[in-house]
Amino acid sequence: MNYENILAETKDEILWITINRAAKLNALNKATLAELHDAVLNAQTNTLIGGVIISGSGEKAFVAGADISEFSSFNSAEGTMLAKEGQQNVFDLIANSTKPVIAAVNGFALGGGLELAMACHIRIASENAKLGLPEVTLGLIPGYGGTQRLTQLVGRGKALEMILTADMIDAAEAHQLGLINHLVTFEELLPTAEKLMRKILSRSPNAVSAAISAVNAALDSSKNGFEVEIEEFGKCFGTDDFKEGVAAFLEKRKANFKRN
Ligand code: COA
């Protein structure tokens, strides 16, 4: 697939995805979502890719939401499909990615932009970040998982306050709430994301995937997370990563995990 709305470049095991519609503050139109789907799906099976870092182009916005101009004439059925397909094809795909996905939030992360960041496994934001779910100003509610993931990350009271008021919060408040993992300067944003990703990439790829799956199960009411943990834990023992990790420890050397 040719990308026109995102940049996707793999450098030394990291797939850097940049949402590249700066003139529209990187708003997620249908084409952008399709490209994101394609890039993240391909990353799952590409052995040259260990993890994904998502950011927005320019200094002003990570993503300022779903593209409002595209759904302005939608009816209920079309709105339902918009949310359903978006959740399945992009937001859940990212959340359930077997490879780690880090959001580097460089400015506005509003509506679908904050939902995109929240679907990622880890969020790092620069000091100019502004985060919010302003959908009620449009007569809507968040539709790409925002009501669920914001509640999981900051608790019901703060999630309701943010969603009902539509207010944006700044990066410092988001950090204090645990909505972002790290708060850094704009210059340090991508280097910090890369440093964190490189550390994760030095660990067992199989164990990293297993951990994502077990942690995600904690938030999935259709699963018993403790059982998923037992299952994933047991599966680890049958992997080359386990043999290498334990051998490296016993031989007092650094583990050299293979990506396959
Ligand atoms: N969908 C479509 N276009 C969007 C957009 C969105 N979510 N967010 C911004 N844009 C477009 C603007 O329409 C404008 O395009 P134009 O230059 O062709 O008119 C361009 O991006 C720049 O945005 P602008 O509003 O002029 O920038 P600003 O600095 O004055 O305001 C925001 C920045 C983020 C406060 C404002 O763009 C905004 O409120 N965006 C919508 C946020 C939102 O409600 N998101 C949830 C959607 S469900």
Side-chain angles (χ1 to χ4, degrees), residues 204-206 235-247 255-258 260:
S204 151
N206 176 75
K235 279 198 283 183
C236 288
F237 285 81
T239 64
D240 289 342
D241 280 8
F242 168 67
K243 290 189 190 83
E244 167 60 13
V246 171
N256 180 19
F257 296 112
K258 300 263 181 303
N260 49 34

Side-chain angles (χ1 to χ4, degrees), residues 1-6 19 21 24 26-39 63 65-72 74 78-79 81-87 89-91 112 144:
M1 181 181 208
N2 282 335
Y3 299 147
E4 290 174 3
N5 299 277
I6 65 169
I19 319 282
R21 299 184 75 216
K24 295 289 178 188
N26 302 320
L28 298 174
N29 61 1
K30 211 173 159 192
T32 307
L33 288 168
E35 291 174 21
L36 265 175
H37 167 78
D38 188 74
V63 167
D67 194 314
I68 299 167
S69 62
E70 270 192 352
F71 60 67
S72 58
F74 274 17
E78 290 168 314
M81 283 315 290
L82 182 73
K84 195 172 180 178
E85 289 180 357
Q87 286 195 19
N89 295 340
V90 179
F91 297 80
Y144 287 149

